[in-house]
Amino acid sequence: MIYLDHAATCPMRECSLEQMTEAMQKVYGNASPSYPIAQEAKAKLDQARSVLADTIGADWKEIFFTSGGTEGDNWALTGAVEAGLPERRTGHIITTQVEHHAVLHTCAYLESRGYTVSYLPVDEEGFVSGESLRKELERHPDTVLVSVMLANNEVGTVEPVQELVRIVRNREEELRNADGEGAEPGREFRRKPARRILFHTDAVQAYGKLSIDVKELDVDLLSVSAHKIGGPKGIGFLYIRKGTRIGSLIHGGAQESGRRAGTENVPAVIGFAAAAKEAAADREKENATVRRLQLFFRDRLRKDVEEACGIRMLWNGPEPEETEEQTGTRRLPGNVSVSFPGFDQRTLLINLDLAGICASGGSACTTGALDPSHVLMAMTKDLQRSAGTLRFSLGPENTREEIETTLHVLTETMKRIQLCPRTSSEEL
Ligand code: PLP
């Protein structure tokens, strides 16, 4: 098998597997009671919280465990708008057309509850512009939340989140001034003004690959998932900046400072922290490996598919960075998204699958669905391009030989389809 679908999920890191297995055998106490095995579980939980907080420059008290990226996104969005503040019972949300469905479908749910939502467009490479955000903020003075992903799961575009947050903070300042807040001399020293517009970023794909510092980014909420970095599935965290008013998504016991109920999955948290620590320590080395493979894959696609076979190929998203220092400034290392207009992605995927190669269409969540990728449609508005798109996402264990095999299978499949365009995928 050749596994080229790391954006869908990753093989578990050895250190994560080992520590998790040991924890399942030994640290089985519920982290709430006061007897020793429970206290040991509580101590491990908080140690892991500190390790994870360090990976994003947060305080350990700002890390709240969730069941993964989907829950983190749902919690951030619904919690932010339904925080119980009078001004938050209605309000406007600004997000983008290229978010993961965990954000988009939550926005659709919130629209059904009476909130209004703007979906910012993106350019051909998948970037959101600061200008479009600025205009939308002006158009909607009742905006309570902005949610823009750090990196896109389908095409790897790294969004200018820091710049977008600055625009939001400037807008808050303008609104405060318009309200006369802070106009009274000395008033601004009496209390720190509350955030009016929360900024959430979905960092599920960026975490472990990009250097993230929540203080530098100045975000209020950031969601992460363990299984994208070689940790276990079913665990993640939501960073909630200290002082942020946010409602709960899951109600029950007093776990996670009363904000997220349910007995904590201590072994998964331990496995998550182990994976995160290793991912952070090895980030530069792993990024360098996958970036080199990404460039090799792109260049060979152009040579073997485009030049040698005359097959039209379109690269999706920004070009990968050419130097190691620039890695991840515009595109995630390891993401290869290409379109072959006129070809059917399902036929290509079935043939790759038959050869033991795991890749995907748009994202893993949309594979199997007949809808065109909302990300590629937002970027290119080209249905044919979207229908002929493949996403390969590379990991540090991949090799050039694996890429060569993939290229061979891909070109042979496309040559056969060209010779016999009506042949069904099963017959190829
Ligand atoms: N957000 C993004 C950008 C993702 O890529 C994914 C998963 O593919 C998610 C959210 C959902 O994360 P999880 O699978 O942990 O629920």
Side-chain angles (χ1 to χ4, degrees):
M1 181 187 79
I2 297 177
Y3 189 75
L4 305 178
D5 204 12
H6 292 75
T9 197
C10 294
M12 275 187 75
R13 292 176 190 265
E14 275 301 317
C15 62
S16 178
L17 258 178
E18 276 167 22
Q19 293 193 32
M20 204 176 156
T21 312
E22 194 188 327
M24 279 194 282
Q25 287 163 338
K26 296 189 184 150
V27 196
Y28 54 82
N30 183 317
S32 295
S34 55
Y35 45 77
I37 198 169
Q39 285 308 299
E40 193 189 343
K42 169 98 177 71
K44 294 268 185 204
L45 198 65
D46 287 340
Q47 265 167 27
R49 210 186 296 277
S50 286
V51 168
L52 292 163
D54 283 349
T55 62
I56 57 165
D59 187 84
W60 66 279
K61 287 187 184 148
E62 296 173 313
I63 302 295
F64 295 84
F65 291 114
T66 63
S67 63
T70 301
E71 185 188 324
D73 288 347
N74 272 260
W75 184 9
L77 270 65
T78 43
V81 299
E82 293 181 343
L85 297 175
E87 67 269 27
R88 296 259 173 86
R89 294 219 174 95
T90 58
H92 189 73
I93 301 163
I94 301 177
T95 187
T96 80
Q97 293 177 2
V98 295
E99 298 298 309
H100 189 271
H101 283 138
V103 166
L104 291 179
H105 289 174
T106 305
C107 283
Y109 161 76
L110 290 169
E111 279 186 278
S112 77
R113 307 257 306 173
Y115 297 93
T116 53
V117 185
S118 304
Y119 298 89
L120 298 177
V122 291
D123 66 14
E124 273 235 353
E125 294 186 319
F127 290 108
V128 177
S129 85
E131 199 40 42
S132 68
L133 174 61
R134 209 183 328 266
K135 281 194 186 139
E136 220 45 36
L137 284 167
E138 270 169 26
R139 205 170 296 155
H140 297 280
D142 58 337
T143 300
V144 290
L145 172 74
V146 176
S147 179
V148 179
M149 69 201 323
L150 210 44
N152 186 271
N153 47 307
E154 294 194 29
V155 294
T157 306
V158 177
E159 297 295 349
V161 167
Q162 200 171 352
E163 178 201 328
L164 300 176
V165 177
R166 224 174 288 132
I167 290 166
V168 168
R169 299 302 174 227
N170 287 342
R171 181 65 186 151
E172 283 183 319
E173 192 65 38
E174 280 170 20
L175 289 169
R176 261 198 295 275
N177 290 339
D179 286 354
E181 271 184 59
E184 234 179 89
R187 186 175 165 183
E188 64 272 27
F189 300 112
R190 281 217 298 275
R191 76 182 163 83
K192 221 168 150 226
R195 291 269 182 245
R196 291 172 161 235
I197 308 172
L198 297 182
F199 199 109
H200 164 250
T201 188
D202 172 339
V204 169
Q205 291 292 337
Y207 185 66
K209 297 175 194 99
L210 305 185
S211 154
I212 299 176
D213 184 319
V214 284
K215 305 260 165 14
E216 262 174 37
L217 284 176
D218 199 17
V219 291
D220 303 292
L221 302 156
L222 177 142
S223 34
V224 161
S225 177
H227 72 103
K228 308 286 186 184
I229 58 155
K233 290 169 186 57
I235 190 82
F237 70 74
L238 178 65
Y239 157 80
I240 306 179
R241 185 214 287 262
K242 192 165 168 245
T244 303
R245 293 282 302 267
I246 170 165
S248 292
L249 186 68
I250 296 181
H251 306 276
Q255 292 92 351
E256 299 300 285
S257 313
R259 291 177 124 174
R260 198 274 189 182
T263 302
E264 300 91 342
N265 186 349
V266 179
V269 165
I270 291 172
F272 181 12
K277 203 170 170 178
E278 187 176 279
D282 293 351
R283 193 177 68 235
E284 280 177 25
K285 196 173 70 188
E286 292 182 357
N287 276 353
T289 307
V290 292
R291 194 185 61 84
R292 276 196 294 270
L293 287 172
Q294 182 187 39
L295 287 171
F296 175 73
F297 204 165
R298 180 203 59 184
D299 294 346
R300 287 292 303 275
L301 273 165
R302 286 190 175 143
K303 218 162 131 220
D304 296 8
V305 181
E306 219 173 11
E307 285 170 31
C309 301
I311 291 168
R312 194 166 155 241
M313 182 203 111
L314 297 165
W315 179 260
N316 298 314
E319 288 293 331
E321 287 82 9
E322 294 291 336
T323 67
E324 260 166 47
E325 301 73 59
Q326 296 169 324
T327 303
T329 39
R330 284 166 55 82
R331 188 186 185 107
L332 283 180
N335 172 291
V336 172
S337 172
V338 277
S339 300
F340 305 103
F343 288 89
D344 174 11
Q345 78 183 182
R346 287 165 304 181
T347 308
L348 299 177
L349 283 172
I350 287 169
N351 282 274
L352 287 170
D353 189 7
L354 289 172
I357 300 164
C358 309
S360 82
S363 66
C365 307
T366 51
T367 303
L370 291 176
D371 289 344
S373 149
H374 65 282
V375 175
L376 283 159
M377 288 307 287
M379 286 164 62
T380 68
K381 317 213 168 18
D382 183 342
L383 196 58
Q384 231 201 8
R385 178 169 179 171
S386 170
T389 298
L390 295 180
R391 179 193 71 180
F392 301 94
S393 39
L394 316 173
E397 80 284 0
N398 288 133
T399 61
R400 283 189 176 213
E401 290 69 39
E402 290 179 323
I403 310 275
E404 302 258 15
T405 308
T406 305
L407 285 159
H408 177 73
V409 173
L410 202 55
T411 45
E412 289 306 307
T413 304
M414 291 198 281
K415 279 197 265 180
R416 284 202 300 272
I417 294 171
Q418 277 189 323
L419 281 175
C420 192
R422 282 173 186 275
T423 309
S424 77
S425 50
E426 285 81 358
E427 288 170 77
L428 279 169

